[in-house]
């Protein structure tokens, strides 16, 4: 006989699979060749604006002075990595000299992405394993037990790595857009 799966597991499993799918898509865009047609440029711009808004939203959450310092250091490191990565990015041009594709540096992009994913898992897995997603009856999510602002404000390291990822993505996208216009 097989054991019945509790119904409250399905939303958690579905959400986890959605996050994994989004991370795989993000990784593919981080390390694979990308088109620079109108849609590709729009995607770079929109992703940067969304990440910037997300970063601003996390700044509103209460942080310690150490978290703000770690976030500032993360922004500087991310922007520096983006600048370094731009120097190692290949641009493929057509006969007219227009950039049609770019190939990001696989190692730098994968390293930044890997740091983000490892720290994300470092924060989320203990929360999931400790049962904080379940209320005292053990059958559903209780928002009172999980403080979403603690995701970025609970650890300066988490906030710093989040800032590295966002700064890298934004600076790299704007750098690619700037270099294709030149």
């Amino acid at each position: 006989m097989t054991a019945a799966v509790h119904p409250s597991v399905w939303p958690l499993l579905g959400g986890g699979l959605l996050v994994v799918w989004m991370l795989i898509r993000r990784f593919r865009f981080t390390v694979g060749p990308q088109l620079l047609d109108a849609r590709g440029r729009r995607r770079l711009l929109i992703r940067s604006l969304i990440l910037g808004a997300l970063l601003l939203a996390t700044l509103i959450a209460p942080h310690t002075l150490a978290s703000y310092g770690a976030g500032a250091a993360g922004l500087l490191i991310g922007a520096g990595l983006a600048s370094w990565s731009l120097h190692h990015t290949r641009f493929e041009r057509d006969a007219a000299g227009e950039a049609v594709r770019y190939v990001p540096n696989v190692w730098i992009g994968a390293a930044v992405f890997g740091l983000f994913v490892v720290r994300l898992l470092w924060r989320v897995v203990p929360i999931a394993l400790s049962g904080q997603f379940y209320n005292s009856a053990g059958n559903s999510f209780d928002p009172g037990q999980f403080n979403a602002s603690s995701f970025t404000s609970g650890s300066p390291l988490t906030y710093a790595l989040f800032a590295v990822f966002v700064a890298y993505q934004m600076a790299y996208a704007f750098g690619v857009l700037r270099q294709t216009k030149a």
Side-chain angles (χ1 to χ4, degrees), residues 41 58 78 88 98 161 168 174:
R41 292 171 200 243
T58 61
H88 297 289
E98 293 287 322
L161 290 178
Y168 175 81
F174 285 126

Side-chain angles (χ1 to χ4, degrees), residues 71 73-75 77-79 81 112 115 159-169:
L75 289 174
I77 292 169
L81 283 172
V112 170
L115 282 173
Y159 196 57
L161 290 178
F162 174 73
V164 167
F165 180 74
V166 170
Y168 175 81
Q169 293 293 327

Side-chain angles (χ1 to χ4, degrees), residues 62-73 153 156 159:
H63 294 282
T64 63
L65 191 56
S67 289
Y68 280 121
S153 63
Y159 196 57

Side-chain angles (χ1 to χ4, degrees), residues 71-89 105 108-109 112 163-172:
L75 289 174
L76 292 174
I77 292 169
L81 283 172
S83 175
W84 186 37
S85 186
L86 277 169
H87 289 295
H88 297 289
T89 298
N105 183 286
I108 299 169
V112 170
V164 167
F165 180 74
V166 170
Y168 175 81
Q169 293 293 327
M170 289 179 63
Y172 187 78

